[in-house]
Amino acid sequence: MSSAAGPDPSEAPEERRFLSTAEAAALERELLEDYRFGRQQLVELCGHASAVAVTKAFPLPALSRKQRTGLVVCGPEQNGAVGLVCARHLRVFEYEPTIFYPTRSLDILHRDLTTQCEKMDIPFLSYLPTEVQLINEAYGLVVDAVLGPGVEPGEVGGPCTRALATLKLLSIPLVSLDIPSGWDAETGSDSEDGLRPDVLVSLAAPKRCAGRFSGRHHFVAGRFVPDDVRRKFALRLPGYTGTDCVAAL
């Protein structure tokens, strides 16, 4: 999210559906510093909306008992915190989430969100099976909340890197939060050999790499972004229906 220069008026509308990394950072600063959103508040809003997006892509009434199960894989950065909130809301929505959180952050926000999940009896895996068929048989879908924009796999440690290698091999649906983990947020490089999610949930607004997403469903979770902030960053995105907190792109 970003405080970069204003948009080029000659830029095509569809090009403004995507934010550069600098613009995304500036938009987030605007929310935190000017609008006085708290970091936990933004994580909660994004995590809740991510869970709602899952319910839209995989409606509960259409799922078998096994398909209601989901594995949420969380990293130690902010995207992982959003994943923890997403898992909690999936439980509230009567799905059956399990969390794999191999490199736990000492940040107080992560610790609080972990406690909330534990108190709601959401199970945490102690290890991720390397035999992908075990995961395919145990879960109906996987939520990728490992890496966010600007976070490289090597920065979060071996367990997360190994988890991403396993996620690439799964045959069950994959939902990535904000960007597919391992993709370059600007160019989408590694999109060919990296994760190929079925669903992408862009947080606040889509990042440039989302232009290379070719999965079944792309949602934007940015209902909380004030109208004047959307205008400042020249975001041309679909409107939200009724009280929906996500919109399909």
Side-chain angles (χ1 to χ4, degrees):
M1 318 183 187
S2 164
S3 96
D8 180 349
S10 67
E11 198 171 25
E14 53 273 19
E15 293 179 335
R16 296 303 307 170
R17 291 179 61 178
F18 306 108
L19 292 180
S20 69
T21 302
E23 289 169 331
L27 191 152
E28 184 173 44
R29 283 198 302 273
E30 185 107 359
L31 296 176
L32 292 171
E33 297 173 7
D34 293 357
Y35 277 82
R36 308 306 298 170
F37 278 81
R39 188 164 70 96
Q40 182 169 354
Q41 182 182 13
L42 289 180
V43 166
E44 184 70 26
L45 288 165
C46 289
H48 170 260
S50 296
V52 170
V54 171
T55 72
K56 290 183 175 296
F58 307 100
L60 199 63
L63 301 180
S64 68
R65 180 64 182 267
K66 184 259 181 182
Q67 290 172 320
R68 298 179 185 192
T69 59
L71 178 63
V72 183
V73 185
C74 299
E77 305 293 337
Q78 182 157 304
N79 226 36
V82 174
L84 292 170
V85 175
C86 177
R88 172 160 46 82
H89 284 288
L90 287 175
R91 169 55 62 85
V92 171
F93 297 152
E94 300 184 0
Y95 291 74
E96 298 177 17
T98 294
I99 296 170
F100 180 56
Y101 183 21
T103 306
R104 297 198 180 194
S105 172
L106 297 178
D107 182 90
I108 188 65
L109 172 58
H110 282 249
R111 288 160 55 188
D112 288 348
L113 295 175
T114 299
T115 297
Q116 291 165 16
C117 290
E118 291 171 340
K119 291 286 189 182
M120 292 182 67
D121 294 324
I122 299 174
F124 282 72
L125 289 185
S126 57
Y127 69 95
L128 188 67
T130 55
E131 176 50 65
V132 295
Q133 193 57 30
L134 294 176
I135 302 173
N136 289 333
E137 292 173 355
Y139 302 103
L141 61 92
V142 173
V143 175
D144 156 36
V146 184
L147 307 177
V151 182
E152 298 294 330
E155 296 176 24
V156 295
C160 289
T161 302
R162 290 191 293 273
L164 290 179
T166 300
L167 296 190
K168 293 177 187 179
L169 303 175
L170 298 178
S171 59
I172 55 177
L174 178 67
V175 180
S176 286
L177 306 188
D178 211 14
I179 70 170
S181 290
W183 284 29
D184 183 286
E186 293 283 345
T187 66
S189 60
D190 288 337
S191 60
E192 297 303 320
D193 297 325
L195 297 183
R196 303 291 292 276
D198 300 271
V199 180
L200 178 63
V201 185
S202 292
L203 306 180
K207 314 310 178 282
R208 280 182 175 165
C209 69
R212 300 190 65 177
F213 171 70
S214 59
R216 289 184 293 157
H217 302 285
H218 184 188
F219 297 98
V220 60
R223 185 74 182 258
F224 59 88
V225 178
D227 287 342
D228 63 337
V229 175
R230 293 182 205 173
R231 287 192 291 269
K232 179 175 181 177
F233 290 89
L235 291 173
R236 296 186 180 97
L237 298 171
Y240 294 86
T241 303
T243 58
D244 283 353
C245 58
V246 298
L249 292 172

